[in-house]
Amino acid sequence: MLTGLTLTEARAGLEARKFSARELAQAHLDAIGRLNKQLNAYITVLPEQDVLAAADAADARYTKGEARLMDGLPVGVKDLFCTKGVKTTAASKMLANFVPPYESSVTARLLDAGSVFLGKTNLDEFAMGSANITSAFGSVLNPWKRQGDDAALVPGGSSGGSAAAVAAGLALAATGTDTGGSIRQPAAFCGIVGLKPTYGRCSRWGTIAFASSLDQAGPMTRSVADAGLMLEAMAGFDEKDSTSSNRPVPEFSKAVGKSVKGLRVGIPAEYRAPGMPEEIAKMWEQGIAWLREAGCEVVDVSLPHTKYGLATYYIIAPAECSSNLARYDGIRFGERKDAASLDGIYERTRAEGFGPEVRNRILMGTYVLSAGYYDAYYLKAQKVRTLIKRDFVQAFEQVDVLLTPTAPSAAFAHGENMDDPVQMYLNDIFTVPASMAGVPALSVPVGLDSKGLPLGLQIIGRHFDEETVLSVGGALEAAAGFAHKPTLHAEAGV
Protein backbone atom coordinates (compact mmCIF):
# COMPACT_ATOMS: atom_id res chain seq x y z
CA MET A 1 0.00 0.00 0.00
CA LEU A 2 1.11 3.53 -0.76
CA THR A 3 0.77 4.66 2.85
CA GLY A 4 3.33 2.09 4.00
CA LEU A 5 6.20 3.33 1.82
CA THR A 6 9.29 5.19 2.95
CA LEU A 7 10.16 8.54 1.36
CA THR A 8 12.93 6.94 -0.70
CA GLU A 9 10.64 4.11 -1.88
CA ALA A 10 7.89 6.58 -2.78
CA ARG A 11 10.30 8.79 -4.69
CA ALA A 12 11.61 5.80 -6.64
CA GLY A 13 8.02 4.75 -7.44
CA LEU A 14 7.17 8.24 -8.64
CA GLU A 15 10.28 8.43 -10.82
CA ALA A 16 9.41 5.03 -12.35
CA ARG A 17 5.79 6.24 -12.76
CA LYS A 18 4.48 3.17 -10.91
CA PHE A 19 1.94 5.54 -9.36
CA SER A 20 1.27 9.26 -9.48
CA ALA A 21 1.78 11.93 -6.84
CA ARG A 22 -2.01 12.46 -6.94
CA GLU A 23 -2.62 8.78 -6.10
CA LEU A 24 -0.05 8.99 -3.30
CA ALA A 25 -1.65 12.14 -1.86
CA GLN A 26 -5.17 10.73 -2.15
CA ALA A 27 -4.15 7.55 -0.32
CA HIS A 28 -2.90 9.64 2.60
CA LEU A 29 -5.96 11.89 2.65
CA ASP A 30 -8.13 8.76 2.76
CA ALA A 31 -6.05 7.36 5.63
CA ILE A 32 -6.39 10.63 7.55
CA GLY A 33 -10.14 10.49 6.98
CA ARG A 34 -10.27 6.97 8.45
CA LEU A 35 -7.93 7.30 11.42
CA ASN A 36 -7.47 10.92 12.49
CA LYS A 37 -10.60 11.01 14.66
CA GLN A 38 -9.10 8.17 16.72
CA LEU A 39 -5.52 9.37 16.80
CA ASN A 40 -6.05 13.17 16.79
CA ALA A 41 -2.67 13.43 15.05
CA TYR A 42 -3.70 16.44 12.94
CA ILE A 43 -5.16 19.70 14.24
CA THR A 44 -5.76 21.02 10.71
CA VAL A 45 -6.05 18.93 7.53
CA LEU A 46 -5.53 20.97 4.37
CA PRO A 47 -8.41 21.13 1.86
CA GLU A 48 -8.35 18.17 -0.50
CA GLN A 49 -8.28 20.37 -3.60
CA ASP A 50 -5.14 22.18 -2.34
CA VAL A 51 -3.33 18.94 -1.56
CA LEU A 52 -4.22 17.38 -4.91
CA ALA A 53 -3.29 20.57 -6.80
CA ALA A 54 0.20 20.41 -5.25
CA ALA A 55 0.42 16.72 -6.19
CA ASP A 56 -0.65 17.45 -9.77
CA ALA A 57 2.08 20.11 -10.03
CA ALA A 58 4.61 17.50 -8.87
CA ASP A 59 3.32 15.00 -11.45
CA ALA A 60 3.81 17.62 -14.17
CA ARG A 61 7.44 18.11 -13.10
CA TYR A 62 8.07 14.33 -13.14
CA THR A 63 6.62 14.18 -16.67
CA LYS A 64 8.99 16.96 -17.79
CA GLY A 65 11.98 15.35 -16.06
CA GLU A 66 12.27 18.30 -13.68
CA ALA A 67 11.55 16.53 -10.41
CA ARG A 68 12.86 18.11 -7.21
CA LEU A 69 14.32 16.47 -4.10
CA MET A 70 10.99 15.85 -2.30
CA ASP A 71 8.65 16.16 -5.26
CA GLY A 72 5.18 14.72 -4.69
CA LEU A 73 5.99 13.32 -1.22
CA PRO A 74 3.14 13.86 1.28
CA VAL A 75 4.32 15.18 4.65
CA GLY A 76 2.78 16.50 7.85
CA VAL A 77 3.91 19.79 9.39
CA LYS A 78 4.09 20.24 13.15
CA ASP A 79 1.69 23.06 14.05
CA LEU A 80 4.54 25.16 15.39
CA PHE A 81 5.80 26.12 11.91
CA CYS A 82 4.09 29.18 10.43
CA THR A 83 2.41 28.28 7.15
CA LYS A 84 1.19 31.12 4.96
CA GLY A 85 -2.60 31.25 4.81
CA VAL A 86 -2.97 28.11 6.97
CA LYS A 87 -3.95 28.26 10.63
CA THR A 88 -0.97 27.85 12.97
CA THR A 89 -2.02 27.32 16.59
CA ALA A 90 0.97 25.94 18.57
CA ALA A 91 -1.83 23.75 20.03
CA SER A 92 -2.88 26.69 22.21
CA LYS A 93 -6.09 28.64 22.71
CA MET A 94 -3.85 31.71 22.63
CA LEU A 95 -3.27 31.20 18.88
CA ALA A 96 -6.44 29.27 18.04
CA ASN A 97 -7.30 31.60 15.14
CA PHE A 98 -3.85 32.75 14.04
CA VAL A 99 -3.33 32.58 10.26
CA PRO A 100 0.24 33.64 9.40
CA PRO A 101 0.80 35.96 6.43
CA TYR A 102 4.22 34.37 5.86
CA GLU A 103 5.90 30.96 5.56
CA SER A 104 8.55 29.66 7.96
CA SER A 105 11.97 29.12 6.39
CA VAL A 106 11.91 25.35 6.98
CA THR A 107 8.47 24.84 5.41
CA ALA A 108 9.38 27.20 2.55
CA ARG A 109 12.41 24.99 1.81
CA LEU A 110 10.25 21.86 1.88
CA LEU A 111 7.73 23.46 -0.49
CA ASP A 112 10.56 24.52 -2.80
CA ALA A 113 11.73 20.90 -2.78
CA GLY A 114 8.26 19.81 -4.01
CA SER A 115 6.78 18.42 -0.77
CA VAL A 116 3.01 18.03 -0.63
CA PHE A 117 1.70 19.28 2.72
CA LEU A 118 -1.19 17.26 4.16
CA GLY A 119 -1.89 19.34 7.27
CA LYS A 120 -0.69 20.62 10.63
CA THR A 121 0.09 17.99 13.25
CA ASN A 122 -0.83 18.13 16.92
CA LEU A 123 1.69 18.79 19.69
CA ASP A 124 2.00 19.69 23.34
CA GLU A 125 0.96 23.33 23.82
CA PHE A 126 3.81 25.61 22.69
CA ALA A 127 5.93 22.40 22.49
CA MET A 128 5.95 22.05 26.30
CA GLY A 129 5.47 18.44 27.31
CA SER A 130 6.66 14.86 26.87
CA ALA A 131 3.37 13.07 26.26
CA ASN A 132 1.26 15.23 23.91
CA ILE A 133 -1.42 15.65 26.58
CA THR A 134 -1.21 19.43 27.00
CA SER A 135 -2.68 20.39 23.59
CA ALA A 136 -5.71 22.67 23.71
CA PHE A 137 -7.10 20.54 20.86
CA GLY A 138 -7.00 17.27 22.76
CA SER A 139 -4.43 14.57 23.46
CA VAL A 140 -2.85 12.49 20.71
CA LEU A 141 -3.18 8.71 20.80
CA ASN A 142 -0.18 6.49 20.14
CA PRO A 143 -1.13 4.02 17.34
CA TRP A 144 0.68 1.25 19.27
CA LYS A 145 -1.06 -0.88 21.92
CA ARG A 146 0.36 -3.14 24.61
CA GLN A 147 -0.20 -6.82 23.95
CA GLY A 148 -3.46 -7.93 25.56
CA ASP A 149 -4.22 -4.40 26.78
CA ASP A 150 -6.41 -1.80 25.10
CA ALA A 151 -5.21 1.13 27.26
CA ALA A 152 -4.60 4.34 25.31
CA LEU A 153 -0.88 5.12 25.20
CA VAL A 154 0.84 8.49 24.82
CA PRO A 155 2.89 9.09 21.64
CA GLY A 156 5.54 11.11 23.48
CA GLY A 157 6.02 14.81 23.06
CA SER A 158 6.06 17.46 22.12
CA SER A 159 6.06 16.26 18.48
CA GLY A 160 3.56 13.49 19.28
CA GLY A 161 1.17 14.29 16.44
CA SER A 162 3.98 14.08 13.86
CA ALA A 163 5.25 10.79 15.34
CA ALA A 164 1.77 9.22 15.45
CA ALA A 165 0.98 10.37 11.88
CA VAL A 166 4.17 8.84 10.44
CA ALA A 167 3.83 5.60 12.44
CA ALA A 168 0.18 5.12 11.49
CA GLY A 169 0.57 5.89 7.77
CA LEU A 170 -1.08 9.33 7.84
CA ALA A 171 2.07 10.89 6.33
CA LEU A 172 5.24 9.53 4.76
CA ALA A 173 7.21 11.86 7.04
CA ALA A 174 6.67 14.94 9.18
CA THR A 175 8.54 17.90 10.60
CA GLY A 176 9.23 18.08 14.31
CA THR A 177 11.00 20.42 16.67
CA ASP A 178 13.35 19.35 19.43
CA THR A 179 14.08 21.50 22.49
CA GLY A 180 14.98 18.79 25.00
CA GLY A 181 14.04 15.59 23.17
CA SER A 182 10.77 16.46 21.42
CA ILE A 183 11.72 14.71 18.17
CA ARG A 184 13.70 11.77 19.56
CA GLN A 185 11.48 10.66 22.47
CA PRO A 186 8.20 10.51 20.47
CA ALA A 187 10.08 8.78 17.64
CA ALA A 188 11.16 6.10 20.13
CA PHE A 189 7.63 5.79 21.58
CA CYS A 190 6.08 5.39 18.11
CA GLY A 191 8.70 3.15 16.49
CA ILE A 192 10.00 5.62 13.89
CA VAL A 193 13.24 7.53 13.17
CA GLY A 194 13.73 11.02 14.60
CA LEU A 195 16.70 13.32 13.96
CA LYS A 196 17.61 16.44 15.93
CA PRO A 197 20.21 18.23 13.81
CA THR A 198 23.01 20.40 15.18
CA TYR A 199 21.69 23.66 16.62
CA GLY A 200 21.82 26.17 13.75
CA ARG A 201 21.62 23.57 10.95
CA CYS A 202 17.94 24.42 10.24
CA SER A 203 16.53 27.93 10.43
CA ARG A 204 14.26 28.82 13.35
CA TRP A 205 12.71 31.76 11.48
CA GLY A 206 8.92 31.43 11.40
CA THR A 207 8.89 28.65 13.99
CA ILE A 208 6.97 29.67 17.12
CA ALA A 209 9.56 29.91 19.87
CA PHE A 210 9.71 27.97 23.14
CA ALA A 211 13.39 28.20 24.20
CA SER A 212 15.40 30.01 21.54
CA SER A 213 18.85 28.67 22.45
CA LEU A 214 17.58 25.07 22.29
CA ASP A 215 14.80 24.85 19.66
CA GLN A 216 15.81 23.00 16.49
CA ALA A 217 13.70 21.68 13.61
CA GLY A 218 14.26 18.18 12.29
CA PRO A 219 12.72 15.30 10.31
CA MET A 220 10.58 12.41 11.63
CA THR A 221 10.58 9.53 9.16
CA ARG A 222 10.30 5.75 8.69
CA SER A 223 13.94 5.13 7.84
CA VAL A 224 17.36 6.62 8.48
CA ALA A 225 17.83 7.25 4.74
CA ASP A 226 14.56 9.20 4.76
CA ALA A 227 15.82 11.35 7.64
CA GLY A 228 18.89 12.22 5.57
CA LEU A 229 16.79 13.02 2.50
CA MET A 230 14.38 15.25 4.39
CA LEU A 231 17.13 17.04 6.34
CA GLU A 232 18.77 17.84 3.00
CA ALA A 233 15.59 19.67 2.02
CA MET A 234 15.09 21.39 5.41
CA ALA A 235 18.63 22.58 6.18
CA GLY A 236 20.54 25.62 4.99
CA PHE A 237 21.70 29.10 5.93
CA ASP A 238 19.03 31.72 6.52
CA GLU A 239 19.98 35.37 6.91
CA LYS A 240 16.67 35.96 8.73
CA ASP A 241 17.88 33.78 11.63
CA SER A 242 20.95 35.09 13.47
CA THR A 243 21.59 31.61 14.93
CA SER A 244 21.59 29.92 11.50
CA SER A 245 24.94 28.44 10.51
CA ASN A 246 26.40 29.46 7.16
CA ARG A 247 27.66 26.03 6.16
CA PRO A 248 27.10 24.02 2.97
CA VAL A 249 24.42 21.33 3.18
CA PRO A 250 25.89 17.88 2.43
CA GLU A 251 24.00 15.16 0.59
CA PHE A 252 22.92 13.57 3.84
CA SER A 253 21.00 10.75 2.15
CA LYS A 254 24.26 9.38 0.70
CA ALA A 255 25.73 8.92 4.19
CA VAL A 256 23.46 5.94 4.84
CA GLY A 257 24.98 2.66 3.68
CA LYS A 258 28.59 3.80 4.08
CA SER A 259 30.86 1.42 5.96
CA VAL A 260 31.18 2.16 9.67
CA LYS A 261 34.20 -0.12 10.06
CA GLY A 262 36.82 1.48 12.27
CA LEU A 263 34.52 4.13 13.74
CA ARG A 264 34.80 4.54 17.50
CA VAL A 265 31.52 4.35 19.40
CA GLY A 266 31.50 5.82 22.91
CA ILE A 267 29.36 4.36 25.69
CA PRO A 268 28.88 7.03 28.39
CA ALA A 269 28.96 5.56 31.89
CA GLU A 270 26.59 8.23 33.24
CA TYR A 271 23.72 7.03 31.02
CA ARG A 272 23.53 3.79 33.00
CA ALA A 273 20.93 5.45 35.19
CA PRO A 274 19.91 3.89 38.52
CA GLY A 275 16.64 2.03 38.15
CA MET A 276 16.92 1.73 34.36
CA PRO A 277 14.51 -1.02 33.23
CA GLU A 278 16.30 -4.25 32.38
CA GLU A 279 14.73 -4.33 28.91
CA ILE A 280 16.24 -0.91 28.08
CA ALA A 281 19.65 -2.01 29.35
CA LYS A 282 19.50 -5.26 27.33
CA MET A 283 18.50 -3.41 24.16
CA TRP A 284 21.41 -1.02 24.68
CA GLU A 285 23.82 -3.96 25.06
CA GLN A 286 22.36 -5.50 21.90
CA GLY A 287 22.94 -2.23 20.03
CA ILE A 288 26.55 -2.19 21.22
CA ALA A 289 26.98 -5.78 19.97
CA TRP A 290 25.47 -4.95 16.57
CA LEU A 291 27.85 -2.03 16.04
CA ARG A 292 30.81 -4.10 17.18
CA GLU A 293 29.82 -6.73 14.59
CA ALA A 294 29.65 -3.99 11.95
CA GLY A 295 33.30 -3.22 12.62
CA CYS A 296 33.02 -0.38 15.13
CA GLU A 297 35.38 -0.06 18.07
CA VAL A 298 33.49 0.35 21.36
CA VAL A 299 35.03 2.75 23.89
CA ASP A 300 33.88 3.60 27.43
CA VAL A 301 33.67 7.36 27.97
CA SER A 302 32.54 9.73 30.69
CA LEU A 303 30.25 12.76 30.55
CA PRO A 304 30.56 13.78 34.20
CA HIS A 305 28.12 16.69 34.12
CA THR A 306 25.31 14.67 32.54
CA LYS A 307 23.68 14.28 35.96
CA TYR A 308 23.04 18.04 36.02
CA GLY A 309 21.54 18.11 32.50
CA LEU A 310 17.88 17.81 33.41
CA ALA A 311 18.03 20.28 36.31
CA THR A 312 19.94 22.78 34.15
CA TYR A 313 17.46 22.36 31.30
CA TYR A 314 14.49 23.04 33.58
CA ILE A 315 16.03 26.37 34.57
CA ILE A 316 17.18 27.58 31.16
CA ALA A 317 14.21 26.41 29.04
CA PRO A 318 11.48 27.91 31.31
CA ALA A 319 13.50 31.15 31.60
CA GLU A 320 13.60 31.50 27.81
CA CYS A 321 9.95 30.42 27.61
CA SER A 322 8.85 33.16 30.04
CA SER A 323 10.66 35.73 27.92
CA ASN A 324 9.38 34.43 24.56
CA LEU A 325 5.77 34.09 25.68
CA ALA A 326 5.62 37.55 27.28
CA ARG A 327 4.48 38.89 23.88
CA TYR A 328 1.14 37.06 24.15
CA ASP A 329 -0.76 39.68 26.09
CA GLY A 330 -3.85 40.19 23.94
CA ILE A 331 -2.59 43.61 22.83
CA ARG A 332 0.35 42.79 20.57
CA PHE A 333 -0.20 39.07 20.04
CA GLY A 334 -2.68 36.42 21.09
CA GLU A 335 -6.43 35.96 21.39
CA ARG A 336 -7.62 38.95 23.45
CA LYS A 337 -10.08 38.53 26.32
CA ASP A 338 -11.75 41.83 27.22
CA ALA A 339 -11.85 43.19 30.76
CA ALA A 340 -12.54 46.48 32.56
CA SER A 341 -8.87 47.51 32.76
CA LEU A 342 -5.61 47.02 30.88
CA ASP A 343 -4.26 44.85 33.70
CA GLY A 344 -7.50 42.88 33.58
CA ILE A 345 -7.05 42.27 29.82
CA TYR A 346 -3.53 40.96 30.42
CA GLU A 347 -4.63 38.73 33.29
CA ARG A 348 -7.71 37.30 31.61
CA THR A 349 -6.02 36.83 28.23
CA ARG A 350 -3.10 34.89 29.70
CA ALA A 351 -5.18 32.93 32.24
CA GLU A 352 -7.62 31.72 29.58
CA GLY A 353 -5.17 31.51 26.67
CA PHE A 354 -2.44 29.41 28.28
CA GLY A 355 -2.91 25.90 29.64
CA PRO A 356 -1.62 24.73 33.05
CA GLU A 357 1.76 23.36 31.85
CA VAL A 358 2.60 26.54 29.95
CA ARG A 359 1.60 28.68 32.94
CA ASN A 360 3.78 26.50 35.20
CA ARG A 361 6.81 26.98 32.99
CA ILE A 362 6.26 30.73 32.62
CA LEU A 363 6.06 31.07 36.41
CA MET A 364 9.16 28.90 36.91
CA GLY A 365 11.07 30.90 34.29
CA THR A 366 10.01 34.26 35.66
CA TYR A 367 11.10 33.16 39.13
CA VAL A 368 14.63 32.11 38.09
CA LEU A 369 15.07 35.38 36.16
CA SER A 370 13.83 37.60 38.99
CA ALA A 371 16.09 39.86 41.04
CA GLY A 372 17.81 37.94 43.78
CA TYR A 373 17.48 34.58 42.01
CA TYR A 374 19.08 35.30 38.62
CA ASP A 375 22.62 34.67 39.87
CA ALA A 376 21.64 31.73 42.07
CA TYR A 377 19.75 29.84 39.36
CA TYR A 378 19.92 31.15 35.79
CA LEU A 379 23.55 32.30 35.75
CA LYS A 380 24.69 29.11 37.48
CA ALA A 381 22.69 27.00 35.02
CA GLN A 382 24.38 28.73 32.09
CA LYS A 383 27.80 27.92 33.59
CA VAL A 384 26.83 24.27 34.05
CA ARG A 385 25.55 24.18 30.46
CA THR A 386 29.03 25.23 29.32
CA LEU A 387 30.51 22.32 31.29
CA ILE A 388 27.99 19.88 29.74
CA LYS A 389 28.98 21.06 26.26
CA ARG A 390 32.68 20.73 27.17
CA ASP A 391 32.07 17.12 28.26
CA PHE A 392 30.76 16.30 24.77
CA VAL A 393 33.61 18.12 23.00
CA GLN A 394 36.18 16.19 25.07
CA ALA A 395 34.40 12.87 24.53
CA PHE A 396 34.45 13.45 20.76
CA GLU A 397 38.24 13.76 20.92
CA GLN A 398 38.20 10.04 21.78
CA VAL A 399 35.23 8.74 19.75
CA ASP A 400 33.22 9.47 16.60
CA VAL A 401 29.70 8.97 18.04
CA LEU A 402 28.00 8.07 21.30
CA LEU A 403 25.36 5.34 21.70
CA THR A 404 22.71 5.59 24.44
CA PRO A 405 19.06 4.68 25.03
CA THR A 406 16.61 7.30 23.74
CA ALA A 407 14.09 7.12 26.59
CA PRO A 408 14.00 5.46 30.03
CA SER A 409 10.85 3.48 29.16
CA ALA A 410 8.51 2.49 26.36
CA ALA A 411 5.31 4.49 25.84
CA PHE A 412 3.14 4.74 28.94
CA ALA A 413 -0.63 4.97 29.22
CA HIS A 414 -2.75 8.09 29.46
CA GLY A 415 -3.16 8.74 33.17
CA GLU A 416 0.16 7.16 34.19
CA ASN A 417 2.73 9.62 35.61
CA MET A 418 0.32 12.51 34.91
CA ASP A 419 0.11 13.73 38.52
CA ASP A 420 3.89 13.74 39.00
CA PRO A 421 5.58 16.53 37.01
CA VAL A 422 9.07 15.38 38.04
CA GLN A 423 8.38 11.88 36.68
CA MET A 424 7.11 13.42 33.44
CA TYR A 425 10.23 15.58 33.13
CA LEU A 426 12.42 12.46 33.63
CA ASN A 427 11.21 11.22 30.22
CA ASP A 428 13.85 13.52 28.73
CA ILE A 429 16.76 12.39 30.91
CA PHE A 430 18.65 10.78 28.00
CA THR A 431 17.82 13.39 25.36
CA VAL A 432 18.34 16.69 27.22
CA PRO A 433 22.18 16.63 27.44
CA ALA A 434 22.60 16.56 23.64
CA SER A 435 20.17 19.49 23.38
CA MET A 436 22.10 21.46 25.99
CA ALA A 437 25.31 20.86 24.02
CA GLY A 438 23.68 21.61 20.64
CA VAL A 439 25.01 18.40 19.05
CA PRO A 440 23.11 16.24 16.51
CA ALA A 441 21.29 13.16 17.79
CA LEU A 442 19.27 10.44 16.06
CA SER A 443 16.76 7.97 17.52
CA VAL A 444 16.44 4.64 15.69
CA PRO A 445 13.82 1.96 16.51
CA VAL A 446 15.61 -1.29 17.29
CA GLY A 447 13.12 -3.69 18.88
CA LEU A 448 10.05 -4.33 21.02
CA ASP A 449 9.71 -4.69 24.77
CA SER A 450 7.95 -7.64 26.44
CA LYS A 451 4.58 -5.90 25.94
CA GLY A 452 5.13 -5.39 22.22
CA LEU A 453 6.01 -1.69 22.35
CA PRO A 454 8.89 -0.12 20.38
CA LEU A 455 12.20 0.87 21.94
CA GLY A 456 14.77 3.21 20.44
CA LEU A 457 18.50 3.79 20.71
CA GLN A 458 20.12 7.20 20.31
CA ILE A 459 23.25 8.07 18.33
CA ILE A 460 24.89 11.38 19.25
CA GLY A 461 27.54 13.00 17.07
CA ARG A 462 29.94 15.92 16.81
CA HIS A 463 28.68 19.39 15.94
CA PHE A 464 27.67 19.48 12.25
CA ASP A 465 28.62 15.83 11.69
CA GLU A 466 25.14 14.53 10.92
CA GLU A 467 26.67 12.40 8.16
CA THR A 468 28.51 10.12 10.60
CA VAL A 469 25.41 9.98 12.83
CA LEU A 470 23.33 8.88 9.84
CA SER A 471 25.95 6.32 8.74
CA VAL A 472 25.99 4.70 12.18
CA GLY A 473 22.19 5.00 12.37
CA GLY A 474 21.91 3.17 9.06
CA ALA A 475 24.15 0.36 10.31
CA LEU A 476 22.10 0.05 13.51
CA GLU A 477 18.86 0.06 11.51
CA ALA A 478 20.14 -2.67 9.16
CA ALA A 479 21.24 -4.87 12.07
CA ALA A 480 17.98 -4.42 14.00
CA GLY A 481 15.74 -5.02 10.97
CA PHE A 482 12.83 -3.28 12.71
CA ALA A 483 9.76 -3.82 10.50
CA HIS A 484 6.95 -3.90 13.06
CA LYS A 485 3.75 -1.91 12.53
CA PRO A 486 1.44 -0.43 15.17
CA THR A 487 -2.03 -1.72 15.94
CA LEU A 488 -3.65 1.30 14.32
CA HIS A 489 -2.24 2.01 10.88
CA ALA A 490 -3.56 2.93 7.48
CA GLU A 491 -3.11 -0.57 6.03
CA ALA A 492 -4.97 -2.41 8.80
CA GLY A 493 -8.20 -3.95 7.57
CA VAL A 494 -7.88 -2.44 4.09
Side-chain angles (χ1 to χ4, degrees), residues 113-443:
S115 306
V116 174
F117 289 171
L118 296 165
K120 307 298 290 292
T121 58
N122 208 340
L123 63 146
D124 281 299
E125 185 181 7
F126 280 99
M128 297 179 202
S130 302
N132 220 145
I133 56 171
T134 69
S135 170
F137 300 92
S139 301
V140 176
L141 181 74
N142 191 325
W144 291 81
K145 298 275 188 185
R146 292 172 181 151
Q147 288 173 357
D149 184 352
D150 201 40
L153 304 180
V154 302
S158 65
S159 307
S162 290
V166 174
L170 308 191
L172 288 184
T175 63
T177 61
D178 195 308
T179 307
S182 289
I183 286 174
R184 292 161 286 157
Q185 184 248 22
F189 276 17
C190 291
I192 64 167
V193 172
L195 172 61
K196 181 197 87 70
T198 306
Y199 181 80
R201 176 67 84 181
C202 295
S203 172
R204 292 185 302 108
W205 192 84
T207 308
I208 296 169
F210 163 16
S212 301
S213 74
L214 294 158
D215 297 343
Q216 185 58 206
M220 304 183 76
T221 62
R222 293 203 187 113
S223 74
V224 176
D226 285 3
L229 178 72
M230 192 168 175
L231 180 60
E232 220 172 293
M234 294 171 68
F237 175 64
D238 181 8
E239 61 184 15
K240 298 192 288 292
D241 175 8
S242 62
T243 63
S244 173
S245 177
N246 192 1
R247 289 171 178 255
V249 178
E251 290 186 81
F252 293 117
S253 53
K254 291 187 177 177
V256 181
K258 284 185 179 177
S259 171
V260 295
K261 191 173 182 180
L263 290 180
R264 293 160 300 164
V265 177
I267 309 301
E270 291 76 12
Y271 279 63
R272 298 189 188 278
M276 179 193 288
E278 190 179 339
E279 288 180 309
I280 303 284
K282 280 185 176 177
M283 194 60 73
W284 190 10
E285 290 301 325
Q286 179 63 71
I288 293 169
W290 281 329
L291 291 181
R292 192 179 272 122
E293 288 166 15
C296 295
E297 179 188 347
V298 176
V299 181
D300 289 327
V301 297
S302 178
L303 301 169
H305 296 93
T306 291
K307 59 186 175 183
Y308 304 117
L310 208 60
T312 305
Y313 174 85
Y314 278 104
I315 291 172
I316 292 173
E320 295 186 13
C321 139
S322 74
S323 175
N324 279 325
L325 271 60
R327 72 193 71 176
Y328 301 109
D329 55 14
I331 304 298
R332 293 168 297 171
F333 297 98
E335 192 84 1
R336 181 187 303 184
K337 300 296 178 183
D338 290 326
S341 66
L342 182 61
D343 284 351
I345 290 173
Y346 289 156
E347 290 169 3
R348 192 169 167 228
T349 293
R350 291 170 74 79
E352 294 184 24
F354 292 135
E357 181 62 27
V358 174
R359 292 200 298 268
N360 286 348
R361 297 202 193 193
I362 290 172
L363 288 168
M364 205 182 338
T366 303
Y367 177 79
V368 300
L369 290 175
S370 59
Y373 297 105
Y374 181 92
D375 288 354
Y377 293 109
Y378 184 70
L379 196 60
K380 187 176 286 185
Q382 290 286 26
K383 290 176 180 176
V384 175
R385 182 181 187 178
T386 300
L387 296 176
I388 291 169
K389 182 176 178 179
R390 190 174 70 187
D391 284 350
F392 278 95
V393 171
Q394 290 176 346
F396 287 128
E397 290 172 359
Q398 305 173 54
V399 298
D400 299 296
V401 296
L402 302 171
L403 180 70
T404 77
T406 305
S409 72
F412 51 89
H414 284 263
E416 292 176 4
N417 305 330
M418 305 302 180
D419 57 350
D420 185 350
V422 174
Q423 195 62 41
M424 289 293 283
Y425 294 164
L426 284 170
N427 279 294
D428 298 329
I429 192 167
F430 296 137
T431 52
V432 156
S435 293
M436 299 298 288
V439 292
L442 173 77
S443 180

